[in-house]
Amino acid sequence: MFNDQFLKSCRKEAIDHVPVWYMRQAGRSQPEYRELKKKYSLEGITEDPELCAYVTKLPVDQYDNDAAILYKDIMTPLPAMGVDVKIQKGIGPVISNPITGMRDVDALTALNPEKDVPYVLDTIKLLRKQLNVPLISFSGAPFTLASYMIEGGPSKNYYKTKGLMYSEPETWFKLMDTLGDMVITYVKAQVQAGSQAIQIFDSWVGTLNQADYQFYVKPVMERIFNELQGEGVPLILFGIGARHLTLDWNSFHLDVVGLDWRYPIHEARKDGVTKAVQGNLDPTVLTAPWRVIETRAKEIIDQGLEQPGFVFNLGHGVFPEVDPAKLRQLTAFVHDYSKEVLSKRNG
Amino acid sequence: MFNDQFLKSCRKEAIDHVPVWYMRQAGRSQPEYRELKKKYSLEGITEDPELCAYVTKLPVDQYDNDAAILYKDIMTPLPAMGVDVKIQKGIGPVISNPITGMRDVDALTALNPEKDVPYVLDTIKLLRKQLNVPLISFSGAPFTLASYMIEGGPSKNYYKTKGLMYSEPETWFKLMDTLGDMVITYVKAQVQAGSQAIQIFDSWVGTLNQADYQFYVKPVMERIFNELQGEGVPLILFGIGARHLTLDWNSFHLDVVGLDWRYPIHEARKDGVTKAVQGNLDPTVLTAPWRVIETRAKEIIDQGLEQPGFVFNLGHGVFPEVDPAKLRQLTAFVHDYSKEVLSKRNG
């Protein structure tokens, strides 16, 4: 039987229990995954639909989560655009040909998902046959992708990214447009292949203040959500430390606003967030004894259930040192406790 | 003639021009400093009062800034407490004996500034003879210091720090108390030696949500400011991404709240910040053409001057790639533009 609680929550419909998934639920916190990574690279897993479907489905089976999220990286579509990116252990994505000006932006090619990343679409098709929960696909957002492409890798202060943005606005907007086109094409292909929800990761955009966000980034984000709203699947937007941008996000044609752990759900709603919300347990709380985890989870569920439209998640990705047993216990708790609250309310 | 504009602004008194200083104004953005660092380590400079005074004074002379900030590191007092810390190039502080539990906290010894860091006090005395602007000294705050001491170095997610905090509250509060004692002793000795203002850096505390901050960190911060308010020098508190904690900060016995670039001054005041404010140009804007820098600086000055009590600074430290000529030009602009605004206002 198909479990549609996640899709219902995204659409602010009535639910029986609060749906749960975890950012990076498939990854280095799982011993099975760490074992696989001894033999396969991230790309090796991504490009093998059987293996990638296994990795994607594993946490759903193990934790009883209400949604799967396709295993891949936000960098996955970039090589086809001409970006020479390698995922380096302990560092993250490293790019040998960073963007330094208009010439580099002009050299980027358009993504053709069927030709360039057929394995992504094949994995989606395969997973739709295997899963009895919704499959979420995702894409990086233009700012976050651009930050890697300009810095040449992960960054602390994004000074090259902002330097290009402030100094060469024409180059910047061309890059935003090119990446915006990619996101739209990539997401549409993933939905066409069978993805039932989309999360856009603008992980690092919180480094911009609101005025810069509104001028340099908001237009492309508006275009992306305008183009995607007709696809018929819930659209989620997430970033770290982006509380000061949340009302801009709430104005987009999207369904769910992701909150990090520093923005309590009831404050977000009080501030004017009208969309469904997703979040927001600090993943570091998972290192605490169970009574601490339970207290925090309860607070979040209580706040989340005050209005329709709530998906339980962490406020950032699961990190490698988290014990999978804690995640299993947490999912069970969210299900049980929210069922109790909801059945009291309805009965 | 002594330039007291900075002290007056901290105390919300009338000024002739907006005072300026820059976090990390002495550092790798200066060719003279980079040259020195070929021969001397950070510790080598810090422990040599003549040299340290030269490094501290250089940006004041070069940029015409209204305050000096003593060159040293937030790690400087820790070795005397038993922390084996080395500043490693390209990484930052690396600690070979991180705190893992109560035994490690119990082993920390109290700081005796006169005996343990006499060079800090000697440099302050020397600088007071050389400077015609106020000398700011500083200390790291307990949370930020603890994060290095527990992680063993810089961190992205602070999971060991928060893990200890959530799992062993007794150990955590003992560590906060020990570091709180150190901060109080260290700051008092620096004021005694002649420092005319103190900035407390709680650089990374913004990683906590407000509820955790209020429970795990606020008590020690209250104690620190209660103990220091009688010292007769302005007290400044600064951290990155700490907008959600700013009203807690505003309740402390301090004089100036430091804002990062994502929290516009007029919003902070509208939200209830009643102290003087310091900030908050995004340092990455310094990579932009001058017209962009000028526009942003102007906005900040206009907002800052709406109420008494404003110190112009960046929203984070100067980074190595910043051109010193831009900083010189920026200081001159803040002085000239604010003089113009203030003299018009006064008729």
Side-chain angles (χ1 to χ4, degrees):
Chain A
M1 226 189 65
F2 185 72
N3 167 359
D4 62 352
Q5 298 293 292
F6 167 75
L7 296 175
K8 284 187 163 162
S9 266
C10 291
R11 295 182 175 124
K12 303 210 270 184
E13 295 170 8
I15 47 169
D16 307 316
H17 68 263
V18 165
V20 182
W21 70 279
Y22 305 121
M23 290 184 278
R24 282 194 198 273
Q25 61 189 18
R28 285 194 293 146
S29 56
Q30 300 176 292
E32 298 85 350
Y33 177 86
R34 288 197 300 269
E35 201 53 42
L36 264 181
K37 280 299 291 287
K38 290 180 185 163
K39 294 209 308 212
Y40 300 92
S41 67
L42 188 152
E43 294 88 347
I45 298 172
T46 310
E47 293 171 14
D48 179 337
E50 293 282 348
L51 196 57
C52 189
Y54 165 76
V55 169
T56 300
K57 194 166 174 284
L58 190 64
V60 179
D61 295 339
Q62 289 187 328
Y63 307 146
D64 193 25
N65 282 356
D66 300 272
I69 181 156
L70 186 62
Y71 176 85
K72 58 193 171 83
D73 195 85
I74 61 167
M75 295 293 123
T76 300
L78 296 190
M81 300 180 74
V83 180
D84 181 31
V85 55
K86 299 266 175 302
I87 312 287
Q88 283 190 15
K89 211 181 159 173
I91 302 181
V94 174
I95 287 164
S96 70
N97 58 344
I99 301 275
T100 60
M102 188 61 100
R103 186 189 297 210
D104 301 318
V105 177
D106 282 337
L108 293 170
T109 51
L111 183 76
N112 179 340
E114 289 72 16
K115 188 180 137 285
D116 296 328
V117 288
Y119 44 84
V120 169
L121 310 179
D122 291 342
T123 308
I124 292 170
K125 288 171 197 158
L126 191 58
L127 276 162
R128 280 299 304 275
K129 290 180 201 150
Q130 298 177 352
L131 288 169
N132 63 358
V133 295
L135 175 63
I136 307 167
S137 281
F138 65 90
S139 174
F143 178 88
T144 293
L145 294 172
S147 78
Y148 289 102
M149 291 164 72
I150 297 167
E151 305 289 337
S155 174
K156 259 167 61 177
N157 52 28
Y158 307 98
Y159 81 88
K160 288 180 191 166
T161 306
K162 294 186 194 172
L164 187 83
M165 188 177 90
Y166 293 129
S167 310
E168 298 186 35
E170 232 179 299
T171 307
W172 176 261
F173 285 113
K174 179 88 191 282
L175 178 57
M176 288 297 101
D177 278 349
T178 304
L179 289 169
D181 290 344
M182 184 283 282
V183 171
I184 292 163
T185 307
Y186 187 41
V187 165
K188 284 187 173 177
Q190 293 183 76
V191 174
Q192 187 68 34
S195 291
Q196 290 151 294
I198 296 293
Q199 178 151 319
I200 304 292
F201 283 91
D202 212 353
S203 308
W204 314 129
V205 78
T207 189
L208 295 182
N209 64 25
Q210 193 184 22
D212 282 344
Y213 183 77
Q214 291 178 340
F215 187 75
Y216 292 106
V217 177
K218 196 173 175 180
V220 73
M221 297 305 287
E222 274 174 336
R223 179 163 74 90
I224 288 171
F225 288 111
N226 286 345
E227 285 279 341
L228 295 180
Q229 66 164 317
E231 294 299 301
V233 302
L235 305 172
I236 311 168
L237 179 57
F238 176 76
I240 298 293
R243 177 175 179 151
H244 57 298
L245 309 176
T246 309
L247 287 185
D248 292 300
W249 291 10
N250 192 67
S251 75
F252 297 149
H253 284 116
L254 52 72
D255 300 276
V256 186
V257 170
L259 304 176
D260 90 4
W261 66 95
R262 288 163 294 194
Y263 199 4
I265 291 169
H266 66 108
E267 286 186 35
R269 285 177 172 154
K270 205 176 62 185
D271 290 346
V273 171
T274 53
K275 311 285 184 176
V277 294
Q278 176 176 279
N280 65 348
L281 184 72
D282 186 340
T284 65
V285 171
L286 296 168
T287 60
W290 172 252
R291 59 181 165 71
V292 180
I293 303 174
E294 186 179 302
T295 309
R296 303 307 178 95
K298 213 167 175 172
E299 280 169 16
I300 291 169
I301 298 163
D302 286 339
Q303 290 185 23
L305 285 175
E306 280 170 8
Q307 290 184 26
F310 168 54
V311 174
F312 190 95
N313 204 319
L314 306 175
H316 198 174
V318 177
F319 52 91
E321 293 80 2
V322 169
D323 178 3
K326 291 258 180 76
L327 291 173
R328 189 161 44 242
Q329 195 175 359
L330 179 57
T331 302
F333 175 76
V334 179
H335 286 167
D336 293 346
Y337 178 69
S338 66
K339 259 181 215 162
E340 202 183 299
V341 173
L342 287 163
S343 76
K344 264 187 208 153
R345 185 182 295 180
N346 300 328
Chain B
M1 225 188 67
F2 185 71
N3 167 0
D4 63 352
Q5 298 293 293
F6 167 75
L7 296 174
K8 284 188 163 160
S9 266
C10 291
R11 297 182 174 124
K12 304 209 270 185
E13 295 169 8
I15 48 169
D16 307 316
H17 69 262
V18 166
V20 182
W21 70 280
Y22 305 121
M23 290 184 276
R24 281 192 198 276
Q25 62 189 16
R28 285 194 293 146
S29 57
Q30 299 176 293
E32 298 86 350
Y33 176 87
R34 287 196 301 270
E35 201 52 45
L36 265 181
K37 280 299 291 286
K38 289 180 186 164
K39 295 210 306 214
Y40 300 91
S41 65
L42 188 151
E43 293 88 347
I45 298 171
T46 309
E47 292 170 16
D48 179 336
E50 293 282 347
L51 196 56
C52 189
Y54 164 76
V55 169
T56 300
K57 192 166 176 285
L58 190 63
V60 178
D61 295 339
Q62 289 186 329
Y63 307 147
D64 193 25
N65 282 357
D66 300 272
I69 181 156
L70 186 61
Y71 176 85
K72 58 191 172 83
D73 195 84
I74 61 168
M75 296 292 123
T76 299
L78 296 190
M81 300 181 74
V83 180
D84 181 32
V85 54
K86 299 266 176 302
I87 312 287
Q88 283 190 15
K89 210 181 159 173
I91 301 180
V94 174
I95 288 164
S96 71
N97 58 345
I99 301 274
T100 60
M102 189 61 100
R103 185 188 297 211
D104 301 319
V105 177
D106 283 336
L108 293 171
T109 52
L111 183 77
N112 179 340
E114 288 73 17
K115 187 181 137 284
D116 296 329
V117 287
Y119 44 85
V120 169
L121 309 179
D122 291 342
T123 309
I124 293 170
K125 288 171 196 158
L126 191 58
L127 276 162
R128 281 299 304 276
K129 292 180 201 148
Q130 299 177 352
L131 288 169
N132 63 357
V133 295
L135 174 63
I136 308 168
S137 281
F138 65 90
S139 174
F143 178 88
T144 293
L145 294 173
S147 79
Y148 289 103
M149 291 164 72
I150 297 167
E151 304 289 336
S155 174
K156 260 166 63 177
N157 53 28
Y158 306 97
Y159 81 88
K160 288 181 190 166
T161 307
K162 294 185 193 172
L164 187 83
M165 187 177 92
Y166 294 129
S167 309
E168 299 187 34
E170 232 180 300
T171 307
W172 176 261
F173 285 114
K174 179 90 191 283
L175 179 57
M176 289 296 100
D177 278 349
T178 305
L179 289 170
D181 290 343
M182 183 284 282
V183 172
I184 291 163
T185 307
Y186 186 43
V187 166
K188 283 187 174 177
Q190 294 183 75
V191 174
Q192 187 68 32
S195 291
Q196 292 150 294
I198 295 292
Q199 177 151 320
I200 304 291
F201 283 91
D202 212 352
S203 308
W204 313 130
V205 77
T207 188
L208 296 182
N209 65 24
Q210 193 185 21
D212 282 344
Y213 183 77
Q214 291 177 340
F215 186 75
Y216 292 106
V217 176
K218 196 172 175 179
V220 73
M221 298 304 288
E222 274 173 338
R223 180 163 75 90
I224 288 171
F225 288 111
N226 287 345
E227 286 277 343
L228 295 180
Q229 66 164 319
E231 295 298 302
V233 301
L235 305 171
I236 313 168
L237 178 56
F238 175 75
I240 299 292
R243 177 175 179 153
H244 56 298
L245 309 176
T246 309
L247 286 186
D248 292 300
W249 291 9
N250 193 67
S251 75
F252 297 149
H253 285 116
L254 52 72
D255 300 276
V256 186
V257 170
L259 305 176
D260 90 3
W261 66 96
R262 288 162 293 194
Y263 199 5
I265 291 169
H266 66 108
E267 286 185 35
R269 286 179 172 151
K270 205 176 62 185
D271 290 346
V273 172
T274 54
K275 312 285 185 176
V277 294
Q278 176 176 280
N280 65 347
L281 184 72
D282 186 340
T284 64
V285 171
L286 297 167
T287 59
W290 173 252
R291 58 181 166 70
V292 180
I293 303 174
E294 185 179 303
T295 309
R296 302 306 177 96
K298 212 168 177 171
E299 280 170 15
I300 291 168
I301 299 164
D302 287 339
Q303 290 185 23
L305 285 175
E306 281 171 7
Q307 292 184 25
F310 168 55
V311 175
F312 190 95
N313 204 320
L314 306 176
H316 197 174
V318 178
F319 52 91
E321 293 79 1
V322 169
D323 177 4
K326 291 258 180 76
L327 291 172
R328 188 160 47 240
Q329 195 175 0
L330 179 57
T331 301
F333 175 76
V334 178
H335 287 167
D336 294 346
Y337 178 69
S338 64
K339 259 181 215 161
E340 201 184 299
V341 173
L342 287 162
S343 75
K344 263 186 208 153
R345 185 182 296 181
N346 299 329

